[in-house]
Amino acid sequence: MKRLATAIIVLPLLILFFLKASHAFFTAFVLFLIFLGLCEFYRMALPERRLEGWIAAVAGTFLPLTYDAPLPFIVPLGLTSLVLCFSLLFLFRIKDVRRASGEIALIFMGFLYVPLLLGHLILLHDRPAGVQWIFLMMVIVMAGDSAAYYVGSSLGRTKLYPIVSPNKSVEGALGGLVGSVAGALIAKFTFFPMLTVADCVATALLLGVLGQFGDLFESLLKRSCGVKDSGTIVPGHGGILDRLDSILFAAPAAFYYAYFFFK
């Protein structure tokens, strides 16, 4: 009931925000999500490095702002600055020299996992029909997630990847892809008529598969860190990363499909 109540309250607000928000407000919203996601990631991965994790979360939040910079070297400049600064920070704040390489690797992993991937939402929103693309991605991921849950609960027999996620089944994964295709077709005939049927099938399969991989990858991270949920900020749903795990992998694919294939 808590999960359902949260969805009933949050989804209409998100839809209204996506419809009305300017690109600047949308960018600020994504940056806020990135900050929360980085805080959760570093809290899971580096619980004994709270200060460094908080500093990395603040610094990494602004990485996507370099994507639209007019100068071509701004992106490598931003990444280089992060690498140098945090390499020096950990060099002079050693706690256990045997764990230092793993800790700094996790800091850099956070930059690649959250802002690098989720920042593609900002690029996608700025494309022609960007709002429709955001909604399409959400519909594909959410329809696939719902279909996978119900098909897996009722028909699931064959374990998909038990070492990472014991409850997921092959039947649920296939049902999720069918749900993603159905969601994309519904999008075409409701709010995104410019899509062709081929676009619907291609985006549904691409984003649907990557969304499921994103879910599995976050499960791998949580199991590796020994936590059940990435956080508690979303009542009944866990943390921000628990809600964005599929989006993190689907957003870059949606942007590059819209950029290279959608006319």
Side-chain angles (χ1 to χ4, degrees), residues 100-116:
S101 60
E103 290 175 340
I104 191 64
L106 286 169
I107 287 287
F108 296 152
M109 175 62 192
F111 294 148
L112 297 176
Y113 180 51
V114 185
L116 180 67

Side-chain angles (χ1 to χ4, degrees), residues 23 78 120:
H23 186 62
H120 284 81

